[in-house]
Amino acid sequence: MLVSVSPASVSPAVGSAPTQADLLDFVRRTAADAGLIASLPLDPEGRTWVRLEGPGGSEAWLIGWPPGTGTGWHDHAESVGAFLTASGELKENSLAARLPTDGWKTLELTEDVDRERRLPTGRGRAFGRHHVHEVLNESRTDHAISVHAYYPPLPRIRRYGRTGQVLRLEQVERPEDWQ
């Protein structure tokens, strides 16, 4: 589902790109719009999403997460981003290490790179370029809804497989794959 929705927003200064702080502010304000959050159609089987108009030309999404769903390991390439849980609770697993951006297929991760963050309703985070993570709704009964924003608009998403401490590049998606 792809719908353009424009929540009330304050844009970054004219001619400047939105920062991680701008994106986090946007997702906070958007998540507080109860009418918008309630308007997202939820599917018991799979994630649903609505495209939003983000600040300063950013790409933004409202995403519904059925119980037990997740993204798998991925990054957002050269984009910075922010996301916030508007209802329910999400969990983010991430890597606290900067990975090479290109030219590899398999990496052995050190033991101390894993981070886990719980994001209940109203909590979110911003992240920088090449941030590798997975986002999960671990609830067995409740949907979660979140708001996401990225700048520049996503040029690609790299998807990874992980077995223990081995991370494998499995797929590179481009905007035409998800829009």
Side-chain angles (χ1 to χ4, degrees), residues 132-152:
V132 177
H133 67 163
E134 67 174 347
V135 180
L136 309 158
N137 176 5
E138 293 186 321
S139 172
R140 293 178 183 220
T141 57
D142 299 321
H143 266 80
I145 298 175
S146 58
V147 181
H148 302 246
Y150 311 98
Y151 188 84

Side-chain angles (χ1 to χ4, degrees), residues 12 15 25 29 33 37 42 45 50 71 81 93 104 115-116 121 128 130 146 155:
D25 180 59
R29 286 183 290 102
D33 183 339
I37 301 310
L42 300 177
E45 302 288 319
V50 173
T71 60
N93 294 319
W104 64 275
R115 300 293 181 268
E116 178 181 305
T121 299
H130 310 289
S146 58

Side-chain angles (χ1 to χ4, degrees), residues 4 14 20 22 41 44 48 56 59 65 72 78 83 93 95-96 102 109 114 116 134 145 147 164 174 178:
S4 181
V14 175
Q20 291 176 41
D22 294 329
T48 54
E59 180 172 340
W65 306 76
E78 295 81 24
F83 70 102
N93 294 319
L95 300 179
D102 289 305
L109 302 171
D114 289 299
E116 178 181 305
E134 67 174 347
I145 298 175
V147 181
R174 307 241 179 255
W178 65 81

Side-chain angles (χ1 to χ4, degrees), residues 54-84:
S58 63
E59 180 172 340
W61 299 88
L62 180 62
I63 301 176
W65 306 76
T69 58
T71 60
W73 287 95
H74 68 283
D75 72 17
H76 303 280
E78 295 81 24
S79 297
V80 298
F83 70 102
L84 184 129

